[in-house]
């Protein structure tokens, strides 16, 4: 019996209207108090190609992606063979039995519901017949999986509030599937959902929506962006929440400005111009956009203009796999641009952190007067995650860092824009228009002295470059600290991970513990690396570095920045575009330790191709 | 090249404007451009225009890209913030700055390489967004700073310094600006300060995207016989279609003009620009006619100058976007950050 512990997958045709029914299904389980991890696996296509929706249901909160499908809802003839093949022995196949299909497996159980026939009989409008097939299979699942039907019905009413006419036919469609299942099958099955309190006060939201909301709470007023999957929904969420929270009540005017720029070159230019002028501004993009933004990132680094970027990473290189996930822009972002440049990176691992890092990212960027890049990815950005609720502290002013106002300018002697007054490498800045006589300076990407005056004196330039290094040292003390997981007795071996890999790590550690392998873990949350990061590596003989790219980019960065002997850092890599699984991590670690028998084939990035 | 500070002593009898400032107060550091470079005359015209308009320098922001032309913001208004950005991308930086605070006046200075090649896309979009700024292109038909390559504004008939023939069609930035909806479009000549200063004053008083294409010869690389951007060529081929006089709002217009030859347009700050039509058939409010006029005269190798197109009826960027009146950079947490109770409601909606 698999209660609150299974993976169900929906195979649909892109554009057939399945998305909202599938989301309804996942949210209903979440409402029953059971943690869920829904994942869209979608093609780079608007209509016609196969698309999948996978939901892992797990009471213990093990919500990393897991191979082995316990139940497949196979609605797409195009992908039928591979979908049927993906079901675990003993698993279930739910399909539209209006059509005769060949099922060449006798180790799975089949549930045929004549969805097309039922809907054609009940509904007359062709589009409705199509859409309600999706609702009808959700109805069937409510019976098969023993879901709380009142919860599901309640959600339909919520979804169509204001469009009340749509409620009845949707409930009707739910009932069509549900009644058929109750009549013809032995409901519930041995995989099922039971009401739980495991969700607690958690919420269900996409990382990109959380990031957009975080920008509202961070006080961002200008956003400039250029559409690119999977980052588009960051700007869209910011816009949506701004419309809710940032309209001036008396005038109806906007306390924000969002520009869909002509390209990424312009998007970051606008964000830099706005930040230079004292507004909090950001842009959101993905790998190809980062490449275009690189020159400007160098300017912002050298001219010390704050700017916040969200890089929702996708499969690369080049246009790569635009609808798949990866963590493969680590190096290109850490050192983006020509010359000696370095940037602060933040690595959120769930939507709550996307929200928090939007706020902290602005504080760091203003505080350090430098670009900050939030390194999310497609898996985090575009999927709903079960995550802790958002929190802020009331009554706190925006922390804009070292900005001098007119009075402060009056008090000081000569203003030096790039003068390190406090010894932390961070100079003071002024916004244009502050003071009639003092504080004006010329921002430039060319070499300049402490007073922002152009110079070709190499010694002066070296001094400025050294101060920028010193500022980066200061950054190490300000960025979010790593988080540690301690093996029961402490271990001589460690495992480093970051970003979305985190969701799979606790489960991987359990799997490894079953194999008598114990690892201390450290989750990196930022670059540059603080002393704690180095200490962790130095205090373990062997450290695995888990990442979702081919070239072990984080490992390279650690080796390079912390002067680590590369032999001590063992790469654990997955780069097939799907979120890394706990089993893959455990197997690759096991194989590296030469202790596993069945781990060999899966060592690098492989699990069942789909 | 080194930075040379100009000595800042004032002659006691220098004329002062309404703010009690002299022209010297509007200058910047010493130019490091070649002696005789047209760009220095444009700098002088900007200084003069700002002085005469009584602009408080700290309420002006100077924006530029990369090139000899883009260096010039260092040479005027030393009490203004300036931003020398990356090659061709001043328009985006100016757009962002403008959205953060449109109570400042923005003076963007660019070159023909900066605007018509690498920055052509950004220029086009700043125009169509009607960013509230004065955008000056110091057009010399060449890449001065990288030593004299052809630029895209070179005319078909022009020949390079070493006799190279320009095989490609030229980009006429004035026509592009008119076509894409700039609300103030003019062309001037760095050698004609009397024409340029009033154009700049009118442009600085205009709300919306004001574009001035200034033919500004590069004496080092493109001032030879075959160039159509040389002092000599422009002097011989200039065809001034409108004379523009800038009239501050409190001044009476006294001069007499022949009937039908004068057009008064009130600008957004209540000042006026008085257009003297030197070609009676020209209508600077008719986009299509203006474009046709440019093409016809360009075909005759004429350089049409003057205030070429003016529309005071369009909204600028911030109005188009319906953004609140207060500069966005002046809003603090109280105006921007909702409270925890609001966030808790959002949390509740996600359960
Ligand atoms: C990305 C980039 N490419 C090339 C250059 C080199 N570059 C500097 S100035 C310039 C051309 C400037 O021409 P223009 O804008 O006409 O200015 P001018 O010097 O003629 O006033 C070029 C190509 C650069 N700075 N950045
Ligand atoms: S190279 Fe040409 S454009 Fe540059 S400063 Fe000299 S004359 Fe002027
Ligand atoms: Mg040029």
């Amino acid at each position: 019996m698999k209660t609150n512990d299974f993976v169900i997958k929906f195979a649909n045709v892109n554009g057939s209207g399945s998305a909202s029914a599938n989301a309804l299904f996942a949210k209903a389980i979440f409402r029953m108090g059971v943690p869920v991890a829904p994942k869209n696996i979608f093609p780079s296509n608007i209509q016609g190609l196969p698309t999948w929706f996978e939901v892992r249901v797990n009471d213990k909160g093990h919500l990393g992606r897991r191979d082995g499908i316990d139940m497949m809802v196979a609605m797409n003839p195009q992908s039928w063979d591979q979908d049927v093949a993906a079901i675990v022995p003993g698993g279930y196949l739910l399909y539209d039995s209006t059509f005769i299909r060949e099922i060449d497996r006798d180790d799975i159980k089949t549930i045929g519901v004549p969805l097309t026939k039922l809907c054609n009989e009940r509904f007359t409008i062709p589009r409705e017949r199509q859409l309600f097939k999706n609702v009808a299979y959700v109805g069937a699942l409510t019976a098969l999986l023993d879901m709380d039907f009142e919860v599901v019905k309640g959600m339909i009413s919520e979804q169509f509030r204001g469009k009340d006419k749509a409620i009845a036919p949707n409930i009707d469609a739910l009932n069509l599937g549900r009644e058929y299942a109750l009549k013809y099958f032995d409901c519930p099955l041995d995989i099922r959902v039971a009401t739980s309190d495991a969700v607690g006060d958690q919420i269900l939201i996409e990382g990109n929506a959380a990031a957009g909301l975080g920008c509202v709470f961070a006080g961002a007023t200008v956003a400039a962006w250029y559409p690119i999957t999977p980052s588009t929904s960051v700007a869209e969420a910011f816009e949506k929440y701004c419309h809710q929270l940032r309209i001036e009540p008396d005038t109806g005017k906007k306390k924000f400005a969002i520009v869909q720029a002509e390209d990424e070159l312009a998007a970051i230019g606008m964000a830099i111009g706005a930040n230079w002028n004292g507004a909090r501004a950001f842009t959101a993009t993905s790998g190809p956009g980062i490449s275009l933004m690189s020159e400007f990132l160098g300017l912002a680094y050298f001219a010390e203009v704050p700017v916040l970027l969200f890089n929702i990473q996708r499969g690369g290189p080049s246009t790569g796999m635009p609808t798949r996930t990866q963590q493969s822009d680590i190096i290109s972002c850490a050192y983006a641009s020509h010359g000696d440049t370095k940037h602060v990176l933040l690595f959120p691992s769930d939507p709550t952190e996307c929200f928090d890092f939007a706020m902290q990212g602005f504080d760091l960027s203003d505080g350090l007067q430098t670009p900050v890049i939030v390194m999310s990815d497609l898996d985090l950005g575009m999927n709903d995650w079960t995550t802790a609720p958002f929190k802020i502290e009331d009554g706190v002013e925006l922390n804009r860092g070292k900005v001098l106002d007119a009075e402060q300018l009056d008090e000081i002697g000569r203003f030096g824009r790039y003068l390190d007054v406090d010894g932390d490498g961070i100079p003071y800045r002024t916004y244009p228009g502050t003071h009639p006589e003092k504080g004006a300076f010329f921002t430039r990407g060319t070499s300049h002295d402490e007073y922002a005056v152009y110079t070709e004196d190499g010694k002066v330039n070296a001094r400025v470059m050294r101060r920028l290094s010193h500022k980066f040292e200061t950054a190490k003390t300000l960025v979010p600290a790593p988080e540690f997981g301690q093996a029961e007795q402490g271990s001589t071996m460690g495992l480093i991970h970051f970003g979305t890999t985190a969701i799979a790590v606790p489960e991987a550690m359990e799997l490894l513990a079953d194999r008598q392998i114990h690892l201390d873990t450290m989750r990196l949350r930022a670059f540059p690396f603080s002393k704690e990061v180095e200490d962790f590596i130095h205090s373990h003989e062997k450290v695995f570095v888990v990442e979702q790219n081919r070239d072990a980019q984080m490992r390279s960065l650690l080796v390079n920045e912390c002067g680590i002997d590369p032999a001590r850092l063992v790469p654990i890599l997955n780069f097939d575009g799907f979120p890394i699984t706990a089993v893959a991590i455990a197997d690759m670690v096991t194989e590296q330790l030469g202790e596993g028998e069945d781990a060999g084939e899966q060592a690098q990035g492989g699990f069942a191709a789909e | 090249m080194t930075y040379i500070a100009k000595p800042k002593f004032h002659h006691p009898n220098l004329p002062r404007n309404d703010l009690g400032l002299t022209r010297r107060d509007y200058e910047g550091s010493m130019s490091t451009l070649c002696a005789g470079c047209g760009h220095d005359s444009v700098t002088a015209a900007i200084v003069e225009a700002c002085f005469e308009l009584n602009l408080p320098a700290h309420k002006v922001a100077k924006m530029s890209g990369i090139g000899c032309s883009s260096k010039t913001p260092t040479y005027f208004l030393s009490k203004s913030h300036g931003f020398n950005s990356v090659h061709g991308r001043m328009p985006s930086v100016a757009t962002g700055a403008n959205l953060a605070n449109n109570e400042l006046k923005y003076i963007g200075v660019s070159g023909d390489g900066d605007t018509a090649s690498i920055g052509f896309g950004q220029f086009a979009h700043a125009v169509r967004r009607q960013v509230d700024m004065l955008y000056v292109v110091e057009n010399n038909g060449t890449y001065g700073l990288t030593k004299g390559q052809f630029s895209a504004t070179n005319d078909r008939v022009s020949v390079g310094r070493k006799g190279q023939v320009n095989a490609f069609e030229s980009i006429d930035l004035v026509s592009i600006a008119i076509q894409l909806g700039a609300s103030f479009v003019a062309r001037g000549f760095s050698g004609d300060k009397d024409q340029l200063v009033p154009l700049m004053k009118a442009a600085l008083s205009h709300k919306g995207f004001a574009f001035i294409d200034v033919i500004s010869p590069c004496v080092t690389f493109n001032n030879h016989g075959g160039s159509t951007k040389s002092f000599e060529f422009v002097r011989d081929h200039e065809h001034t279609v409108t004379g523009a006089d800038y009239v501050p709002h409190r001044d009476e217009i006294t001069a007499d003009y022949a009937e039908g030859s004068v057009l008064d347009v009130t600008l957004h700050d209540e000042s006026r620009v008085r257009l003297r039509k030197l070609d009676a058939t020209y209508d600077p409010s008719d986009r299509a006619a203006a474009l046709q006029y440019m093409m016809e005269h360009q075909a005759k190798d004429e350089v049409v100058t003057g205030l070429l197109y003016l529309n005071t009826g369009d909204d600028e960027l911030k109005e188009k976007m319906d953004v609140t009146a207060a500069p966005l950079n002046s809003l603090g947490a109280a105006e921007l950050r909702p409270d925890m109770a609001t966030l808790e409601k959002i949390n509740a909606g996600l359960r």
Side-chain angles (χ1 to χ4, degrees), chain A residues 201 217 246 248 254-255 262 277 295 390 394 430 443, chain B residues 81-82 84 89 97 106 129 324 329 335-337 340 351:
Chain A
D201 68 348
F217 280 80
R246 285 276 194 78
E248 230 169 36
K254 298 173 181 167
K255 289 188 281 185
E262 53 272 33
N277 212 358
E295 188 185 9
F390 305 127
D394 278 339
T430 57
T443 302
Chain B
H81 274 66
N84 187 201
R89 272 150 288 172
Y106 294 90
R129 288 193 184 102
T324 179
N329 74 349
E335 289 100 354
L336 298 177
R337 178 179 285 164
M340 185 58 213
R351 290 197 175 106

mmCIF file of all heavy atoms in Angstrom, chain A residues 201 217 246 248 254-255 262 277 295 390 394 430 443, chain B residues 81-82 84 89 97 106 129 324 329 335-337 340 351:
data_model
loop_
_atom_site.group_PDB
_atom_site.id
_atom_site.type_symbol
_atom_site.label_atom_id
_atom_site.label_comp_id
_atom_site.label_asym_id
_atom_site.label_seq_id
_atom_site.Cartn_x
_atom_site.Cartn_y
_atom_site.Cartn_z
ATOM 1 N N ASP A 201 1.919 24.954 7.710
ATOM 2 C CA ASP A 201 1.539 26.275 7.199
ATOM 3 C C ASP A 201 2.209 26.596 5.861
ATOM 4 O O ASP A 201 2.229 27.740 5.416
ATOM 5 C CB ASP A 201 1.861 27.368 8.234
ATOM 6 C CG ASP A 201 3.366 27.560 8.425
ATOM 7 O OD1 ASP A 201 4.146 26.712 7.940
ATOM 8 O OD2 ASP A 201 3.751 28.562 9.043
ATOM 9 N N PHE A 217 8.344 43.551 -2.538
ATOM 10 C CA PHE A 217 8.628 43.819 -1.121
ATOM 11 C C PHE A 217 10.019 44.425 -0.918
ATOM 12 O O PHE A 217 10.276 45.081 0.085
ATOM 13 C CB PHE A 217 8.439 42.550 -0.281
ATOM 14 C CG PHE A 217 6.996 42.296 0.032
ATOM 15 C CD1 PHE A 217 6.160 41.712 -0.911
ATOM 16 C CD2 PHE A 217 6.438 42.695 1.239
ATOM 17 C CE1 PHE A 217 4.806 41.522 -0.661
ATOM 18 C CE2 PHE A 217 5.094 42.502 1.509
ATOM 19 C CZ PHE A 217 4.271 41.913 0.559
ATOM 20 N N ARG A 246 0.693 48.118 -5.783
ATOM 21 C CA ARG A 246 1.469 49.331 -6.040
ATOM 22 C C ARG A 246 0.729 50.366 -6.892
ATOM 23 O O ARG A 246 1.348 51.128 -7.613
ATOM 24 C CB ARG A 246 2.756 48.967 -6.766
ATOM 25 C CG ARG A 246 3.807 48.320 -5.891
ATOM 26 C CD ARG A 246 4.618 49.370 -5.159
ATOM 27 N NE ARG A 246 5.813 48.770 -4.596
ATOM 28 C CZ ARG A 246 6.889 48.486 -5.307
ATOM 29 N NH1 ARG A 246 6.957 48.760 -6.602
ATOM 30 N NH2 ARG A 246 7.922 47.926 -4.732
ATOM 31 N N GLU A 248 -1.413 53.693 -6.881
ATOM 32 C CA GLU A 248 -1.745 54.795 -5.984
ATOM 33 C C GLU A 248 -3.252 54.913 -5.884
ATOM 34 O O GLU A 248 -3.924 55.110 -6.904
ATOM 35 C CB GLU A 248 -1.177 56.085 -6.590
ATOM 36 C CG GLU A 248 -0.370 56.907 -5.654
ATOM 37 C CD GLU A 248 0.361 57.995 -6.409
ATOM 38 O OE1 GLU A 248 -0.204 58.535 -7.372
ATOM 39 O OE2 GLU A 248 1.510 58.269 -6.033
ATOM 40 N N LYS A 254 0.694 54.329 -11.351
ATOM 41 C CA LYS A 254 1.571 53.224 -10.950
ATOM 42 C C LYS A 254 2.783 53.709 -10.169
ATOM 43 O O LYS A 254 3.430 54.668 -10.574
ATOM 44 C CB LYS A 254 2.075 52.495 -12.191
ATOM 45 C CG LYS A 254 0.992 51.872 -13.030
ATOM 46 C CD LYS A 254 1.614 51.341 -14.314
ATOM 47 C CE LYS A 254 0.561 50.712 -15.203
ATOM 48 N NZ LYS A 254 1.073 50.483 -16.571
ATOM 49 N N LYS A 255 3.081 52.992 -9.105
ATOM 50 C CA LYS A 255 4.335 53.258 -8.392
ATOM 51 C C LYS A 255 5.397 52.259 -8.869
ATOM 52 O O LYS A 255 6.139 51.689 -8.085
ATOM 53 C CB LYS A 255 4.121 53.150 -6.882
ATOM 54 C CG LYS A 255 3.295 54.310 -6.319
ATOM 55 C CD LYS A 255 3.244 54.293 -4.809
ATOM 56 C CE LYS A 255 2.245 53.281 -4.314
ATOM 57 N NZ LYS A 255 2.075 53.304 -2.849
ATOM 58 N N GLU A 262 13.868 46.064 -25.911
ATOM 59 C CA GLU A 262 14.055 45.558 -27.274
ATOM 60 C C GLU A 262 14.978 44.349 -27.313
ATOM 61 O O GLU A 262 14.980 43.593 -28.273
ATOM 62 C CB GLU A 262 14.567 46.659 -28.203
ATOM 63 C CG GLU A 262 15.814 47.402 -27.744
ATOM 64 C CD GLU A 262 15.491 48.608 -26.865
ATOM 65 O OE1 GLU A 262 14.498 48.561 -26.123
ATOM 66 O OE2 GLU A 262 16.250 49.594 -26.920
ATOM 67 N N ASN A 277 20.421 56.009 -10.882
ATOM 68 C CA ASN A 277 19.629 57.191 -10.553
ATOM 69 C C ASN A 277 18.813 56.994 -9.271
ATOM 70 O O ASN A 277 17.905 57.764 -8.984
ATOM 71 C CB ASN A 277 18.703 57.513 -11.718
ATOM 72 C CG ASN A 277 18.449 58.995 -11.868
ATOM 73 O OD1 ASN A 277 18.936 59.796 -11.077
ATOM 74 N ND2 ASN A 277 17.681 59.362 -12.870
ATOM 75 N N GLU A 295 28.720 42.643 -21.262
ATOM 76 C CA GLU A 295 29.512 43.875 -21.338
ATOM 77 C C GLU A 295 29.033 44.877 -20.288
ATOM 78 O O GLU A 295 29.825 45.511 -19.586
ATOM 79 C CB GLU A 295 29.422 44.488 -22.736
ATOM 80 C CG GLU A 295 30.401 45.649 -22.886
ATOM 81 C CD GLU A 295 30.274 46.377 -24.211
ATOM 82 O OE1 GLU A 295 29.320 46.100 -24.963
ATOM 83 O OE2 GLU A 295 31.124 47.236 -24.475
ATOM 84 N N PHE A 390 6.039 33.139 3.240
ATOM 85 C CA PHE A 390 6.906 34.319 3.180
ATOM 86 C C PHE A 390 6.772 35.132 4.462
ATOM 87 O O PHE A 390 5.694 35.237 5.029
ATOM 88 C CB PHE A 390 6.527 35.193 1.990
ATOM 89 C CG PHE A 390 6.541 34.460 0.678
ATOM 90 C CD1 PHE A 390 5.433 34.476 -0.163
ATOM 91 C CD2 PHE A 390 7.665 33.745 0.290
ATOM 92 C CE1 PHE A 390 5.443 33.792 -1.369
ATOM 93 C CE2 PHE A 390 7.684 33.057 -0.923
ATOM 94 C CZ PHE A 390 6.566 33.077 -1.756
ATOM 95 N N ASP A 394 8.083 44.172 9.635
ATOM 96 C CA ASP A 394 7.430 45.458 9.401
ATOM 97 C C ASP A 394 8.289 46.613 9.900
ATOM 98 O O ASP A 394 9.111 46.445 10.802
ATOM 99 C CB ASP A 394 6.065 45.497 10.099
ATOM 100 C CG ASP A 394 4.998 44.809 9.255
ATOM 101 O OD1 ASP A 394 5.215 44.689 8.034
ATOM 102 O OD2 ASP A 394 3.966 44.411 9.820
ATOM 103 N N THR A 430 26.360 59.164 -4.712
ATOM 104 C CA THR A 430 25.305 60.177 -4.646
ATOM 105 C C THR A 430 24.385 59.960 -5.828
ATOM 106 O O THR A 430 24.804 59.447 -6.858
ATOM 107 C CB THR A 430 25.875 61.606 -4.757
ATOM 108 O OG1 THR A 430 26.620 61.702 -5.990
ATOM 109 C CG2 THR A 430 26.779 61.967 -3.593
ATOM 110 N N THR A 443 30.311 58.971 -14.133
ATOM 111 C CA THR A 443 30.340 57.515 -14.105
ATOM 112 C C THR A 443 30.896 57.020 -15.435
ATOM 113 O O THR A 443 30.419 57.436 -16.486
ATOM 114 C CB THR A 443 28.913 56.979 -13.911
ATOM 115 O OG1 THR A 443 28.392 57.527 -12.709
ATOM 116 C CG2 THR A 443 28.900 55.468 -13.843
ATOM 117 N N HIS B 81 25.728 65.275 -12.825
ATOM 118 C CA HIS B 81 26.141 63.882 -12.893
ATOM 119 C C HIS B 81 26.240 63.486 -14.368
ATOM 120 O O HIS B 81 25.440 63.947 -15.190
ATOM 121 C CB HIS B 81 25.111 62.975 -12.213
ATOM 122 C CG HIS B 81 25.318 62.827 -10.743
ATOM 123 N ND1 HIS B 81 25.168 63.868 -9.862
ATOM 124 C CD2 HIS B 81 25.650 61.734 -9.994
ATOM 125 C CE1 HIS B 81 25.401 63.429 -8.625
ATOM 126 N NE2 HIS B 81 25.702 62.142 -8.676
ATOM 127 N N GLY B 82 27.201 62.629 -14.662
ATOM 128 C CA GLY B 82 27.338 62.157 -16.034
ATOM 129 C C GLY B 82 27.469 60.652 -16.068
ATOM 130 O O GLY B 82 27.864 60.029 -15.072
ATOM 131 N N ASN B 84 29.002 57.921 -18.799
ATOM 132 C CA ASN B 84 29.631 57.504 -20.035
ATOM 133 C C ASN B 84 29.494 55.979 -20.071
ATOM 134 O O ASN B 84 30.223 55.285 -19.382
ATOM 135 C CB ASN B 84 31.089 57.960 -19.940
ATOM 136 C CG ASN B 84 31.877 57.772 -21.209
ATOM 137 O OD1 ASN B 84 33.081 57.728 -21.158
ATOM 138 N ND2 ASN B 84 31.237 57.674 -22.343
ATOM 139 N N ARG B 89 24.939 52.137 -26.256
ATOM 140 C CA ARG B 89 23.840 51.781 -25.348
ATOM 141 C C ARG B 89 23.444 52.885 -24.383
ATOM 142 O O ARG B 89 22.767 52.637 -23.383
ATOM 143 C CB ARG B 89 24.165 50.472 -24.642
ATOM 144 C CG ARG B 89 23.676 49.310 -25.503
ATOM 145 C CD ARG B 89 24.474 48.074 -25.349
ATOM 146 N NE ARG B 89 25.773 48.190 -25.974
ATOM 147 C CZ ARG B 89 26.726 47.294 -25.847
ATOM 148 N NH1 ARG B 89 26.535 46.248 -25.115
ATOM 149 N NH2 ARG B 89 27.881 47.463 -26.456
ATOM 150 N N ALA B 97 17.279 55.696 -16.410
ATOM 151 C CA ALA B 97 17.483 56.854 -15.535
ATOM 152 C C ALA B 97 16.236 57.733 -15.539
ATOM 153 O O ALA B 97 15.773 58.202 -14.493
ATOM 154 C CB ALA B 97 18.702 57.644 -15.998
ATOM 155 N N TYR B 106 17.654 65.431 -19.237
ATOM 156 C CA TYR B 106 18.655 64.497 -19.745
ATOM 157 C C TYR B 106 19.210 64.989 -21.065
ATOM 158 O O TYR B 106 18.451 65.269 -21.994
ATOM 159 C CB TYR B 106 18.045 63.100 -19.896
ATOM 160 C CG TYR B 106 17.689 62.527 -18.551
ATOM 161 C CD1 TYR B 106 16.432 62.750 -17.995
ATOM 162 C CD2 TYR B 106 18.632 61.839 -17.805
ATOM 163 C CE1 TYR B 106 16.120 62.278 -16.727
ATOM 164 C CE2 TYR B 106 18.332 61.362 -16.540
ATOM 165 C CZ TYR B 106 17.080 61.581 -16.004
ATOM 166 O OH TYR B 106 16.781 61.116 -14.755
ATOM 167 N N ARG B 129 9.692 55.145 -27.883
ATOM 168 C CA ARG B 129 9.147 55.229 -26.526
ATOM 169 C C ARG B 129 8.960 56.673 -26.085
ATOM 170 O O ARG B 129 8.429 56.927 -25.015
ATOM 171 C CB ARG B 129 10.090 54.548 -25.532
ATOM 172 C CG ARG B 129 10.101 53.054 -25.655
ATOM 173 C CD ARG B 129 10.769 52.366 -24.485
ATOM 174 N NE ARG B 129 10.793 50.940 -24.755
ATOM 175 C CZ ARG B 129 11.859 50.264 -25.170
ATOM 176 N NH1 ARG B 129 13.015 50.877 -25.307
ATOM 177 N NH2 ARG B 129 11.777 48.986 -25.431
ATOM 178 N N THR B 324 3.267 57.229 -11.631
ATOM 179 C CA THR B 324 2.936 58.297 -10.688
ATOM 180 C C THR B 324 3.856 59.512 -10.839
ATOM 181 O O THR B 324 4.991 59.398 -11.288
ATOM 182 C CB THR B 324 3.002 57.758 -9.238
ATOM 183 O OG1 THR B 324 2.698 58.810 -8.350
ATOM 184 C CG2 THR B 324 4.378 57.223 -8.900
ATOM 185 N N ASN B 329 12.433 57.245 -7.717
ATOM 186 C CA ASN B 329 13.575 57.125 -6.803
ATOM 187 C C ASN B 329 13.363 57.883 -5.493
ATOM 188 O O ASN B 329 14.195 57.818 -4.603
ATOM 189 C CB ASN B 329 14.879 57.565 -7.491
ATOM 190 C CG ASN B 329 14.990 59.072 -7.664
ATOM 191 O OD1 ASN B 329 14.020 59.798 -7.465
ATOM 192 N ND2 ASN B 329 16.164 59.535 -8.056
ATOM 193 N N GLU B 335 5.954 53.809 0.973
ATOM 194 C CA GLU B 335 5.165 53.838 -0.272
ATOM 195 C C GLU B 335 5.286 52.537 -1.060
ATOM 196 O O GLU B 335 4.447 52.239 -1.892
ATOM 197 C CB GLU B 335 5.641 54.974 -1.186
ATOM 198 C CG GLU B 335 5.293 56.367 -0.704
ATOM 199 C CD GLU B 335 6.483 57.029 -0.012
ATOM 200 O OE1 GLU B 335 7.514 56.348 0.182
ATOM 201 O OE2 GLU B 335 6.361 58.207 0.345
ATOM 202 N N LEU B 336 6.360 51.798 -0.827
ATOM 203 C CA LEU B 336 6.663 50.685 -1.732
ATOM 204 C C LEU B 336 6.472 49.296 -1.129
ATOM 205 O O LEU B 336 6.200 48.341 -1.844
ATOM 206 C CB LEU B 336 8.114 50.800 -2.225
ATOM 207 C CG LEU B 336 8.449 52.058 -3.025
ATOM 208 C CD1 LEU B 336 9.938 52.078 -3.378
ATOM 209 C CD2 LEU B 336 7.615 52.131 -4.303
ATOM 210 N N ARG B 337 6.664 49.194 0.196
ATOM 211 C CA ARG B 337 6.674 47.857 0.783
ATOM 212 C C ARG B 337 5.395 47.615 1.576
ATOM 213 O O ARG B 337 5.178 48.245 2.604
ATOM 214 C CB ARG B 337 7.888 47.692 1.690
ATOM 215 C CG ARG B 337 7.944 46.328 2.369
ATOM 216 C CD ARG B 337 9.172 46.190 3.251
ATOM 217 N NE ARG B 337 10.372 45.984 2.457
ATOM 218 C CZ ARG B 337 11.605 46.135 2.932
ATOM 219 N NH1 ARG B 337 11.806 46.508 4.186
ATOM 220 N NH2 ARG B 337 12.647 45.919 2.156
ATOM 221 N N MET B 340 3.383 43.047 6.738
ATOM 222 C CA MET B 340 3.333 41.598 6.954
ATOM 223 C C MET B 340 1.904 41.077 6.867
ATOM 224 O O MET B 340 1.677 39.967 6.381
ATOM 225 C CB MET B 340 3.979 41.264 8.311
ATOM 226 C CG MET B 340 4.089 39.773 8.590
ATOM 227 S SD MET B 340 5.040 38.844 7.333
ATOM 228 C CE MET B 340 4.190 37.276 7.349
ATOM 229 N N ARG B 351 -2.389 28.749 -0.214
ATOM 230 C CA ARG B 351 -2.519 27.479 0.510
ATOM 231 C C ARG B 351 -3.629 26.639 -0.094
ATOM 232 O O ARG B 351 -4.413 27.112 -0.884
ATOM 233 C CB ARG B 351 -2.800 27.751 1.985
ATOM 234 C CG ARG B 351 -1.577 28.331 2.661
ATOM 235 C CD ARG B 351 -1.636 28.237 4.168
ATOM 236 N NE ARG B 351 -0.398 28.696 4.717
ATOM 237 C CZ ARG B 351 -0.236 29.892 5.340
ATOM 238 N NH1 ARG B 351 -1.264 30.695 5.499
ATOM 239 N NH2 ARG B 351 0.942 30.239 5.786
#
